[in-house]
Every structure is written in C-alpha cells, then in structure tokens.
Amino acid sequence: MSATDSDAIDLSLGPPAQELRVRLRDMLAEMLPPTWSTSFSNDPDVQAIVERVCQRLGEERLLTLSWPHEYGGADADIWQQTVLREEMWAHFEPRGPQYMGLSWVGPTLMKVGTAEQLQRHLPAIAAGRAVWCQGFSEPESGTDLGSLQLSARREDGRWHLNGQKIWTSYAGLADWCFLAARTSREPRKHDGITIFLVPMDSDGITVRPIPSMMGDQHLNEVFFEDVQVGDDAVLGEIGGGWDVIKLVLTHERVGIPRYARDERVLAELAGHASLQDSLTAQSYAQTLVHTRVARLLNYRAIALSERAMLTDREASVARMASVQLDQEVAHLALEMVGSDGLVPDRDAGLVGRLEDVFRYARSATIASGTIEVQRMLIARNVIQEVKDEA
C-alpha cells in the first residue's frame, strides 16, 4: 500500500503482507486452544499461553516486526505490522499485555529515549519479557490529562512520586509503569508534566484491582506513596511530557484494529438462522459495510502516518469509526443469537464468547480518550483548516 498524494491511496497490501497473514493464522491455529477468548485474566493457564505465544513470536522476530533490526525487529514495513495487529486482535489478542510495550512504549522510546533507556528496555520488550502499564488517568483527571495531579518532587538527587492513578490495565501483572507526573505548576496546565519509567516493584507502590463487568486486569487503582526514582527514569525533557503523551496517543488511535475482531465475529455469524429474517439480514449487511469503512479509514490514517502527514482529524475519525463499530457488532451479535449469547460457554465456539465481546465493547467509546474528545479534536482541526484558508 502507498499514498501518492494526499487524496489517492493504493489499498493493495501486497504479497509480503498477505503471506504474513497466512503464516500468522497457521501459527495461531497451532498454538491457541479452541476455547481461547481473552488474555485479560489472572488464570495461570491463560498467562502461560500468552508467554508461549510471545516467546514464539519473539524468536521469529514477529513480536516487534516493524522495529529496526538493531532493536530486535525485522525492519518490516508498516503494512506488515498492520497485518500482525489485525491477526492478533482477530484472535482475541494472545500477546496479552505485551501490546502496550510493542505498539507504543517501544516506538516512543525510540523517538525520545536516551541510549541507556533504549538498551535497558527495548531488548526486554522485543523478547516479550517485560510487561508495561500506562499511568495516565487519575480520579479527577481522565479525559482531561492536562489536569493530572500526581506529583514528582526532586530532593537529594531523587524524584519522589506521590499520588494515585486509576483504570490502569494490567497493573497487577506489569513490570514497569509509563507514568505521567506533575513536576511543576505552570500557567498552561499541559506544561509542567514529565514522563517517568517506573519499576512496578518499587517501594511505595500499591495496586488495587477494581471489580467490574469487564473482568480481571482491565481496571486497577495504583497508589504511589513516596516512590523514589533517579534521573535515569525521566523520559524526554523535564516539563515536556505533554509532547510525549501526544505521541503515545497518536500510536494508540491508529494501533488497535478493533475492526479485525469485528469482521471475525460477523464471519462466524454469516450462516446463522436469524439471517433468514429480512430486517436482521439488512442490519447485518449494513454492519458489514461499516466494518469495511472502519478498515479503510484506519488504512488511510496509517498511510498518512507513513508519510508523516497524519493529523488529529484523520486519527480521530478512524478511531471513532472503530469504537462505534465495536459496539454495533456486539449489539447485533447478541440480537442475532438471542439468550444463548448471554451465557458464556468456552466450548461453544465464538457464539459462546459473545457475552465477553459485548462487555468488552461497552468501554470502547471511553478508553484512550472518549468519543466526545475525538469529536472535539476533529472539530478543532477543521476549524483551524478553515481559518488557514481564509
């Protein structure tokens, strides 16, 4: 795939990407049990499968496919990486919490990390040995990250971290936290934020799971009580954390191909008896169209990212299409299968996992920036474009 100008995009992924898709499907069919449905679990058997999958992918340089060879990658192009992400999500993300390190922690480190930080962290991520969590949201600072309050105060050559983070996925399993903290008070609330790379086994860190309909490891509170780290834990410039956060969020918005799992759900339901009803068949066809639209919008964002032309507008449009689709597919699937879909049954194939799919989709329009924020970003971008043309 390539983009020859701002409007024309070649949507052919090319033979290498298609060959990779076949290779990944064969590998996952071999390694995943028929009942596989989620990596968000404290079950040792589930985490053992995640470990085996990541080890195999790491050995074949597939875990960090698009990373430079010097960092443990395979120098693959962005479209092969896209295929990798699609197949992982279509198979209920068997890389588990590793997707954070792979999709945005590692790439962000490559952009702004020191040589020592790259040497310390990238090999462990590439080998699937390090689990990361994201310390951004706080009880009074979720969507508006600029208002975060967790403090970092430097004293006697150490940084002292105090405060709380919330909704932190995989915090109970993580080795490291990619933490946003306030190092100073400035006129602009987005200034004075600094990123820290914090070991989760540091003294003073407490993780408390938050029971929810989403199940294990999705939601946690993390408390920092005089947690101490050195200057080597600072990522980027002191007070320049907002630029790093924007880089991370850009990776997040174009890095999660929810549409791939949605396509698989629809494919599994293609022969369902409920499609004999004309209204249901019409809804199914409409949702399938929305799935293809979401894929193409994501491909457009990726193509523009490849050319360093991606703006908040394209990234947010792609994300909005994906998260709304997630909920649309989950709702349609339950409507089609009826009460059978409300009872989890790991032995009943994908239909037995629709209840889990539905619960997971409820958070789609909230996580990583609410859909209202995405609309705001699009509006701001359009308004600025109109002003520039005036």
Side-chain angles (χ1 to χ4, degrees), residues 7-283:
D7 296 316
I9 299 176
D10 177 6
L11 296 176
S12 172
L13 293 181
Q18 300 298 347
E19 292 168 7
L20 174 64
R21 193 182 299 279
V22 173
R23 177 184 174 190
L24 289 170
R25 288 181 178 179
D26 289 344
M27 182 184 301
L28 294 175
E30 172 191 337
M31 300 191 71
L32 296 180
T35 57
W36 177 258
S37 61
T38 181
S39 60
F40 277 99
S41 174
N42 292 321
D43 188 333
D45 291 338
V46 170
Q47 293 308 315
I49 292 170
V50 170
E51 184 176 346
R52 287 198 299 271
V53 170
C54 288
Q55 181 179 357
R56 173 82 175 272
L57 292 172
E59 290 172 352
E60 299 189 24
R61 289 186 179 264
L62 291 172
L63 202 57
T64 48
L65 185 66
S66 64
W67 285 20
H69 197 275
E70 62 183 298
Y71 296 136
D75 284 309
D77 64 39
I78 195 171
W79 298 108
Q80 292 179 69
Q81 179 70 13
T82 297
V83 166
L84 175 69
R85 289 172 175 164
E86 288 178 348
E87 291 306 313
M88 293 300 113
W89 275 84
H91 290 82
F92 295 86
E93 192 47 276
R95 297 174 300 177
Q98 293 295 340
Y99 77 88
M100 291 191 187
L102 300 169
S103 296
W104 60 263
V105 175
T108 301
L109 285 169
M110 293 177 208
K111 291 279 189 180
V112 297
T114 65
E116 291 77 12
Q117 288 170 337
L118 298 183
Q119 181 60 38
R120 181 173 190 177
H121 295 295
L122 294 187
I125 296 175
R129 296 194 307 268
V131 175
W132 287 77
C133 64
Q134 180 192 82
F136 282 6
S137 295
E138 298 180 3
E140 302 299 327
S141 176
T143 297
D144 180 16
L145 283 179
S147 63
L148 64 86
Q149 298 297 313
L150 186 145
S151 66
R153 176 177 51 85
R154 197 171 189 279
E155 182 179 325
D156 299 327
R158 304 284 289 175
W159 290 95
H160 296 249
L161 308 173
N162 286 279
Q164 178 186 356
K165 296 296 180 179
I166 198 167
W167 318 129
T168 312
S169 296
Y170 286 121
L173 297 174
D175 302 298
W176 290 87
C177 182
F178 193 98
L179 181 71
R182 184 161 297 284
T183 47
S184 65
R185 299 286 175 180
E186 306 293 341
R188 294 197 317 164
K189 63 183 179 181
H190 292 132
D191 296 336
I193 296 173
T194 302
I195 301 299
F196 293 86
L197 309 177
V198 182
M200 286 296 289
D201 61 358
S202 300
D203 291 339
I205 294 180
T206 302
V207 177
R208 296 180 186 171
I210 301 175
S212 76
M213 65 184 291
M214 295 175 69
D216 295 340
Q217 292 299 333
H218 279 278
L219 304 176
N220 298 275
E221 293 178 287
V222 186
F223 297 88
F224 295 77
E225 299 178 38
D226 197 35
V227 176
Q228 298 184 30
V229 295
D231 289 332
D232 59 344
V234 175
L235 179 65
E237 299 293 330
I238 295 173
W242 190 249
D243 289 334
V244 181
I245 290 174
K246 289 193 295 183
L247 183 62
V248 168
L249 294 179
T250 298
H251 283 299
E252 279 195 326
R253 288 200 294 268
V254 298
I256 304 178
R258 293 171 178 268
Y259 57 83
R261 190 177 67 174
D262 293 329
E263 282 189 341
R264 184 180 175 195
V265 170
L266 292 177
E268 291 282 341
L269 294 172
H272 196 269
S274 63
L275 289 176
Q276 298 300 316
D277 176 73
S278 60
L279 290 179
T280 302
Q282 181 179 342
S283 296

